[in-house]
Amino acid sequence: MSENKELFKVEKSETVGRYAVASEDLKPGDVIFSETPFAYGPKSDSSCLCLGCHSPVDCAYLCSTCSWPVCGPECEQLKVHKENECQVFSNAKVKFQTVEDPTDVCLQYECITPLRMLLEKERDPKRWEEEISIMEAHNEERKSRPIWEFNQHNIVEYIRGPCKMDKYSEELIHLICGILEINAFEARTPSCYAIRCLFPKLAILSHNCVSNIHHAVDCNGYGELKDCVVTVRAAVDIPKGGELFSSYTFSLWPTLVRREFLRESKFFDCTCPRCSSPTELDTHMSSLKCQRCDNGVIISTNTADDACEWKCTHCDYKTNGRAVRKVFAAIQNEIDQVEYIGGPEGIQQRETIFRKYRSVLHPNNSYMTTFRSALIQLYGKTEGYTLEDLPDVILERKIELCLQLMEVLDIIEPGLSRIRGITLYELHGPIMIHARHQYQYGAINKEDFKAKLQESIDTLGKAVEILKNEPISQPEGQLGQMALSAHEQLKENFDVLVDTA
């Protein structure tokens, strides 16, 4: 099947407007389309970054033309900067104001991506009219939100005032701000710093909290639109005419949090099958354990109402959505506090919080699942906790964490999803090492060891199938290359591994 052929078509409905469907039967991994962004640049609330390659900077070097932060002479020549804000700032003599801490949010960056949008509109009016101007901006709803005044002060007035670009109307600039806020997708530079990209075709896809596509953005850092490409693939089997869904939220969030995010940032109430299910399609990612009875699970009585009553499935205990949301917020706060703690301390603190909420949350609750995902990444890669260092009890713990996570991912991230590929990669190692230990101790015979070794190789092969589609500029793509090499070596040396165990 040719990767140049676009395998979707656009339909329209009164309820959702434009949406996309498969133009033929799709198999997992089939490329549906690729595209370059209309514009890309810093996210809102960005810290200081290079306006060429978008890597974090300390602001020690400023562009020799416009005096805004870049990494150095090479980055100041990149088109994404030189042909956009650099010209505007230098012509208007708008200087970058020194900041105390470059890692803090820098409001001076709020105007960059909207300004690039305005300039691209002039360069490519045809694409603007055909693909961008028809995008939803929800300006009427946004006018009543704090974001409107924020944009008015930090973007609209800045562009029309100090930047001397009053040829652009306030209405147009607000329209662009809305289009970016509603339709832009996050991407990562090779330095793994998050930026935002406006991909017109990708933005057509409707939201569903269980996506059936997978998109990967390759921003290789050379500073042109053509150097930033999104590739959209089928994650699962999709029949001809089947609607294509992407997800605008983080899949591991519980329903209350996902719906709140979508309502505040995308201006709609999600009614997808997952959001409509009190048990989140039997994953119980929102469920709590009942504290009054042994087997009860507390679930929502009406997922469309965030403040509704929540009831135990086995006894008469009741609470409400607001109380549950407070519990979730408290747990999220604890997660945030340990997010950047690595090493042995990071493992210990996460395990402590995991045990703390084990009696409160359903085993598959979103926050238990989030901790599993983090622990899987730490066990095997932390000093004192490398795979070769881990005792059998911790190897078994990592295997258990991976399998439990996979049970949830099979439902909420089915098919060729990035997190499934990473989890499968993390699973293959402990399976192999644990089996080798058991064989050496005489706990299993040679045939059982060979079966376990083959299971490890097959698991790694599944990871390769997913991760091979990730851009090599991203950590997942680099992991995919490592996985491919390891998979080939394990297959070639199977007999040697058995004989030398």
Side-chain angles (χ1 to χ4, degrees), residues 74-281:
E74 184 177 345
C75 283
E76 71 179 58
Q77 294 300 317
L78 294 176
K79 287 185 178 180
V80 71
H81 169 60
K82 186 177 181 180
E83 297 183 358
N84 285 304
E85 66 279 347
C86 185
Q87 294 180 1
V88 174
F89 293 156
S90 59
N91 291 339
K93 295 181 172 55
V94 178
K95 304 290 185 182
F96 181 76
Q97 302 300 311
T98 304
V99 296
E100 288 187 9
D101 185 354
T103 64
D104 283 345
V105 171
C106 183
L107 296 181
Q108 295 176 78
Y109 280 85
E110 293 294 329
C111 74
I112 301 295
T113 309
L115 185 54
R116 291 178 181 178
M117 285 273 291
L118 288 166
L119 297 172
E120 191 61 28
K121 175 181 181 292
E122 291 187 350
R123 283 190 291 259
D124 196 347
K126 185 174 185 291
R127 194 178 185 195
W128 167 268
E129 288 298 327
E130 293 178 355
E131 300 184 34
I132 309 302
S133 65
I134 55 178
M135 285 182 169
E136 184 58 72
H138 289 285
N139 273 2
E140 288 305 312
E141 295 97 325
R142 291 172 60 253
K143 283 180 181 177
S144 62
R145 305 285 180 91
I147 189 64
W148 187 269
E149 285 302 316
F150 178 86
N151 289 343
Q152 176 70 24
H153 177 70
N154 292 290
I155 301 174
V156 176
E157 293 175 4
Y158 192 78
I159 290 175
R160 287 171 50 81
C163 293
K164 301 178 181 178
M165 303 291 283
D166 56 0
K167 65 178 181 178
Y168 298 123
S169 68
E170 291 194 3
E171 181 182 16
L172 174 60
I173 300 173
H174 274 299
L175 173 67
I176 282 175
C177 290
I179 287 173
L180 283 169
E181 288 163 18
I182 304 303
N183 299 281
F185 280 79
E186 185 174 298
R188 289 172 297 168
T189 65
S191 61
C192 287
Y193 194 80
I195 59 173
R196 56 179 169 175
C197 303
L198 186 65
F199 293 109
K201 292 174 185 173
L202 181 57
I204 294 172
L205 273 58
S206 299
H207 165 78
N208 192 301
C209 290
V210 179
S211 174
N212 60 4
I213 63 96
H214 169 70
H215 77 269
V217 182
D218 186 4
C219 283
N220 61 27
Y222 292 110
E224 296 188 47
L225 289 177
K226 66 182 179 64
D227 296 320
C228 188
V229 179
V230 66
T231 300
V232 177
R233 288 181 167 86
V236 295
D237 288 325
I238 305 174
K240 181 179 180 179
E243 188 167 358
L244 304 177
F245 294 109
S246 65
S247 177
Y248 305 163
T249 70
F250 182 45
S251 65
L252 298 190
W253 284 344
T255 294
L256 279 174
V257 178
R258 293 195 317 277
R259 281 174 50 83
E260 180 181 285
F261 171 81
L262 292 168
R263 188 181 307 116
E264 292 300 315
S265 65
K266 306 299 181 182
F267 300 95
F268 71 88
D269 283 303
C270 187
T271 57
C272 76
R274 182 180 171 191
C275 282
S276 302
S277 167
T279 62
E280 294 210 39
L281 306 177

